[in-house]
Amino acid sequence: MAGNKKVALAVVAGLTAAAVITELRKPPEEREWHGKIGNFVPYDLRPPTFAKVRDRVWDVDNPNLIVPHAFGIGWTINLGRLYKLANPAG
């Protein structure tokens, strides 16, 4: 089990490094601090706000169940969509 944690930590560290390097290779005026690594894994390194977290985690109008994290690398579950799927009448 400890080996799996080390692998997961190495993957997260590698993806984080790739996101930072991607942004630092851009001229300063073009750095947005969000995008995708390898055109697949989303990242958002901008400071999170309550509104952004709420919009990612509880967006009942978004048809996507899996959405990019409000801060960091990867995806999160849109609990608002999950709630809507579980309660179609509500």
Side-chain angles (χ1 to χ4, degrees):
M1 190 64 127
N4 291 340
K5 288 182 182 179
K6 287 181 181 180
V7 170
L9 183 59
V11 168
V12 170
L15 289 171
T16 302
V20 170
I21 290 167
T22 297
E23 292 299 321
L24 291 177
R25 285 185 173 165
K26 299 175 185 177
E29 63 276 1
E30 293 180 20
R31 295 178 187 158
E32 297 180 335
W33 298 101
H34 64 98
K36 291 185 178 180
I37 302 164
N39 238 4
F40 181 67
V41 180
Y43 67 90
D44 194 337
L45 303 177
R46 299 172 294 180
T49 63
F50 178 78
K52 187 166 69 166
V53 172
R54 181 194 63 225
D55 290 346
R56 297 282 174 89
V57 176
W58 192 266
D59 186 358
V60 294
D61 296 324
N62 185 341
N64 299 313
L65 183 60
I66 306 296
V67 295
H69 278 304
F71 179 78
I73 310 291
W75 300 269
T76 193
I77 296 175
N78 177 358
L79 297 174
R81 177 64 178 159
L82 185 62
Y83 174 81
K84 193 170 184 179
L85 289 171
N87 299 294

